[in-house]
Amino acid sequence: MKEATGELSAAVVIAVVVAILITFFLVQIWPIIRANYKAQTSCDKATCASKPADNNTKGKVWCSIDGSVFECPYKG
C-alpha cells in the first residue's frame, strides 16, 4: 500500500507541474506569439508606402488597412 501511495503522489506532482507549465504558456507566451502573428499578417495584407517617410522610422513604412494606419517593416 505504501508503494501505491508513493506512485500516486508522484503522479499528482507531475500533473501539477504540467498544469503550471501549460498555464504559463497560455498566459505569458501565447499572447506574444499571437500578437506577432497578427502584426505580420496585417503587414502582408496592407497597402504600404513605397519608401520610408523619414529617417526616424528605422526601416519602417506607414501602411493602412480598413482605415487603420500602422507601421510595418520596409521590404523594398
Side-chain angles (χ1 to χ4, degrees):
M1 190 70 174
K2 188 175 185 181
E3 194 174 302
T5 304
E7 290 178 11
L8 177 64
S9 62
V12 169
V13 168
I14 291 172
V16 168
V17 169
V18 168
I20 289 170
L21 290 174
I22 289 172
T23 303
F24 175 76
F25 176 79
L26 291 175
V27 171
Q28 295 293 325
I29 307 298
W30 182 248
I32 295 169
I33 293 171
R34 186 172 179 211
N36 187 24
Y37 176 75
K38 281 187 175 183
Q40 184 64 38
T41 56
S42 294
C43 286
D44 291 341
K45 294 177 185 176
T47 303
C48 299
S50 59
K51 61 181 181 176
D54 56 16
N55 293 334
N56 294 334
T57 58
K58 297 185 180 182
K60 297 197 176 208
V61 293
W62 290 105
C63 299
S64 65
I65 189 170
D66 297 331
S68 63
V69 178
F70 49 91
E71 284 185 325
C72 290
Y74 179 65
K75 296 182 181 176

